[in-house]
Amino acid sequence: MDRWITHTAARALRSADAPPIAVDLGYGAAPWTAVELAARLRAVRPDVRVVGIEIEPARVTAALPHADPPLLDFRRGGFEVPLDGASAQLIRAANVLRQYDEETVAAVWERLCARLAPDGLLVEGTCDEIGRRHVWVALGPEGPRTVTFAARLASLQTPSDLAERLPKALIHHNVPGRPVHRFLTDFDRAWAAAAPYAAFGARQRWVAACTALAGSWPLVDARGRWRQGEVTVRWEALAP
């Protein structure tokens, strides 16, 4: 996810007049995801300010020794995203909404998008415990834009293995007749057809499958991103 964010948000981060603010919302029991996000974004914009936000006071207290203000700080908060009146260039929320009911997702998205700068980016999704399988939705102030499926390809049996990591907005719609189910079914078929490419490695097989998939689905990326073990499709193609 961080790799994709760094690629996707690079232009907006670099063009911001003031030091941009990036938020790691719900970073968890340890601050490492916020620390890593700060390091990766600094390669794009050295003065970027990363704020880790957690609802649990004890988690904020535990993270403070790792703070390096103003470049990296931690504070207590939730979906209101407390930034002292500033807007965020980026909000990343990984494994946050999975614990909520699906009916709440649209309202939370709207609330978070309202905290973005005009060219800001919200990335909300779910990953496994070690980050090898991940699906996320990218949103701008206007709402959802794309869905990205990403995996460590050496550990992937079929693309539909990613179904268990669908974000809350999609996971209950992975049933026959729904767009996301059709997409994963087509992806599995393309993956099976690309089996001969497995002799050259899982990366080449994934690229071949994505190439076939692009013939019937509105993919927004190309070979350069597919080689990273990613594929991104327009939101409206998968929307419930």
Side-chain angles (χ1 to χ4, degrees):
M1 181 186 268
D2 285 357
R3 181 175 60 209
W4 184 90
I5 287 172
T6 302
H7 169 78
T8 303
R11 180 176 296 180
L13 288 168
R14 291 186 179 122
S15 63
D17 293 333
I21 298 174
V23 172
D24 186 12
L25 182 63
Y27 56 82
W32 309 129
T33 60
V35 172
E36 291 170 354
L37 180 63
R40 289 162 181 160
L41 292 181
R42 283 175 197 157
V44 174
R45 177 75 185 242
D47 62 349
V48 65
R49 298 180 178 182
V50 174
V51 181
I53 294 178
E54 253 296 339
I55 198 70
E56 296 290 340
R59 292 182 172 184
V60 178
T61 300
L64 286 176
H66 302 278
D68 181 23
L71 297 180
L72 176 62
D73 206 353
F74 300 90
R75 61 182 61 182
R76 183 173 181 267
F79 297 136
E80 78 281 7
V81 189
L83 296 175
D84 301 325
S87 296
Q89 193 68 48
L90 166 72
I91 299 175
R92 182 187 68 179
N95 299 321
V96 174
L97 291 186
R98 64 184 306 173
Q99 59 191 312
Y100 290 82
D101 294 332
E102 182 187 349
E103 292 72 20
T104 68
V105 171
V108 172
W109 279 358
E110 184 176 1
R111 190 173 186 186
L112 294 177
C113 286
R115 302 295 295 114
L116 293 173
D119 57 348
L121 180 68
L122 166 63
V123 182
E124 186 272 308
T126 303
C127 68
D128 65 0
E129 291 74 13
I130 54 177
R132 292 186 174 185
R133 297 178 183 179
H134 209 154
V135 186
W136 61 82
V137 180
L139 306 93
E142 79 286 356
R145 297 172 174 170
T146 60
V147 184
T148 298
F149 298 78
R152 184 178 185 274
L153 298 179
S155 68
L156 195 70
Q157 295 299 312
T158 62
S160 62
D161 291 347
L162 290 163
E164 63 185 13
R165 301 301 167 183
L166 286 167
K168 179 63 74 170
L170 293 173
I171 193 165
H172 299 301
H173 297 276
N174 184 33
V175 294
R178 297 296 183 91
V180 68
H181 185 271
R182 290 197 299 271
F183 176 79
L184 289 171
T185 299
D186 285 356
F187 206 169
D188 278 356
R189 288 172 180 159
W191 178 258
Y197 289 88
F200 304 102
R203 191 186 307 274
Q204 293 302 321
R205 185 178 183 182
W206 178 271
V207 170
C210 291
T211 301
L213 202 63
S216 53
W217 289 90
L219 306 188
V220 301
D221 48 8
R223 187 182 183 90
R225 301 313 303 173
W226 300 340
R227 285 183 54 81
Q228 302 294 326
E230 305 166 3
V231 64
T232 299
V233 61
R234 293 191 184 280
W235 164 258
E236 54 266 27
L238 303 186

